Amino acid sequence: MEHWLNSVPVFLDHMAKVDGCATSHAAKRLAQYGPTAGIVAGLIAAQLRADERIECDPEQVVVTAGCQEALSLVIPALCPAPGDVMLARNPTYIGVTGVADFAGIEIVPVEPAGDEDWACTLARVTAKLRRAGKAPRGLYLTPEFDNPTGTVLTEAQRRSIIAGCGEHRIVLLEDNPYGMFRFEGVAPPPMAVLDDAGCVVYLATYSKTLCPAVRVGAAVVPKRLFGSADAAERFRVELCERKSFVTVNTSQVTQALVGGVLLREGGSLRAIVEGPRMHYRRNRDALLRALDRAFGTQGDTVQWNRPNGGFFLGLSLPFDFAQAQTAQCAREHGVIVMPMTFFSLDGTHRREIRLAFSNTDEREIEAGVERFARYVETQASLTH
Ligand SMILES: Cc1ncc(COP(=O)(O)O)c(C=O)c1O
């Protein structure tokens, strides 16, 4: 964080140049209230183009106080009427369930049955909801290294989801905080790149690429929402109106910090994330090695996925693990893991946990897995 604070003057110089004024005048303006949609939309659009291949104009971007504010603006804007519901995979990111709960909006779990393709799933779920007098308005997804499961949607799945959303006029919220932390393999295109239906609202954040303290993110509205430029503009204006009564504008000081970093880095964050990306990769490898050592002989009773990036993986256990067990494991074995029930929309996934490998190191990971393995051994012997 400290070494980014000095990027604010870089942005001030840029602002002064663009506006044709003195830097001192730009600094005075920065200290005031600012435009609701933000002052770094152009730099964000350029970064999304450079790093994510997303072609968007600054006019499509609403700068927000992190992704969380974007969620709390977009979800209620999509679901104004009683019976309007959100769709999400189950389990799902807790920031989404929290917003929906506070706004009194139902979230309906959606998952393909067997090898059903996503377009069929969305048709099936939509028909069922319509029969019950409900209307699915939005679908929330983290296609790349999901929180909490660590999974990735394939390009075919992404295309099928877009087809289903286009057909049923469901707005797709593509949340992508972890996309730049891929350790190996080729990234499928973001859904905003594949969007030929005009249904994707892309959610960006600088919380993982820079740091959470900046509280800078963005909602990127499609150029034409389901084919209509007017509808897209009305939606963008509605987000700004809502934001004007929530945070007025995102802090101009931290926008300037992010803007300055983007200017200094020539528009791309690839170089900045390289060190953290390698650190997370080493942690992921250490976690997989430790899990293999601790549970490798336990066949199908303890299973986990091997993510190619991101911060998380999911692990399944041969017994229930919810809030009480989390406390017991922490108290008796000195290790905290996250039960999947925290992210579950309906109380299912009781035998799964989320393991995070980001904000830690290899030694802590090894010690943590050893302690957790002792807990699992004790529990498994009690349940037999
Ligand atoms: C799926 C997901 N979305 C968004 C965020 C980041 O939100 P924010 O930009 O508000 O810090 C996180 C952080 O944990 C996350 O896991």
Side-chain angles (χ1 to χ4, degrees), residues 118-324:
W118 267 97
C120 296
T121 309
L122 290 169
R124 174 172 56 76
V125 172
T126 300
K128 190 170 169 206
L129 285 168
R130 293 246 153 89
R131 282 197 297 276
K134 297 176 184 178
R137 300 293 183 200
L139 165 63
Y140 169 83
L141 288 175
T142 304
E144 200 77 346
F145 311 123
D146 177 47
N147 179 6
T149 61
T151 54
V152 171
L153 289 169
T154 64
E155 181 170 339
Q157 289 171 320
R158 293 175 194 217
R159 287 187 187 279
S160 182
I161 291 168
I162 288 168
C165 284
E167 169 114 28
H168 303 288
R169 296 181 79 82
I170 297 168
V171 171
L172 170 56
L173 306 188
E174 178 180 24
D175 190 3
N176 189 19
Y178 305 108
M180 290 194 68
F181 301 98
R182 173 174 279 277
F183 311 142
E184 59 258 324
V186 179
M191 298 183 81
V193 171
L194 300 173
D195 184 18
D196 53 7
C199 65
V200 176
V201 172
Y202 184 86
L203 305 176
T205 178
Y206 294 92
S207 286
K208 311 297 163 179
T209 45
L210 300 185
C211 63
V214 293
R215 309 310 305 134
V216 175
V220 184
V221 172
K223 263 201 187 80
R224 275 178 279 281
L225 188 61
F226 301 116
S228 164
D230 283 352
E233 178 56 9
R234 277 198 306 277
F235 188 63
R236 192 195 67 84
V237 168
E238 167 153 18
L239 295 185
C240 289
E241 281 173 1
R242 285 176 178 265
K243 181 173 169 65
S244 71
F245 293 110
V246 179
T247 48
V248 184
N249 59 259
T250 304
S251 161
Q252 301 209 110
V253 177
T254 58
Q255 284 189 77
L257 188 153
V258 171
V261 173
L262 291 173
L263 285 164
R264 225 168 33 196
E265 296 297 310
S268 166
L269 295 179
R270 287 272 164 223
I272 279 190
V273 301
E274 191 51 18
R277 191 176 72 87
M278 296 316 287
H279 174 72
Y280 302 145
R281 182 187 174 146
R282 280 192 297 275
N283 284 354
R284 187 274 321 255
D285 291 343
L287 178 57
L288 291 176
R289 271 196 312 273
L291 290 173
D292 278 333
R293 245 191 334 266
F295 302 113
T297 55
Q298 299 191 23
D300 48 11
T301 60
V302 180
Q303 290 181 322
W304 57 94
N305 58 330
R306 296 175 172 267
N308 289 331
F311 288 14
F312 310 107
L313 64 76
L315 180 138
S316 61
L317 294 164
F319 50 80
D320 282 8
F321 189 93
Q323 200 162 347

Side-chain angles (χ1 to χ4, degrees), residues 317-342:
L317 294 164
F319 50 80
D320 282 8
F321 189 93
Q323 200 162 347
Q325 290 80 359
T326 308
Q328 184 198 6
C329 179
R331 204 172 46 242
E332 294 173 11
H333 295 268
V335 60
I336 297 178
V337 300
M338 202 55 119
M340 220 46 117
T341 51
F342 278 23

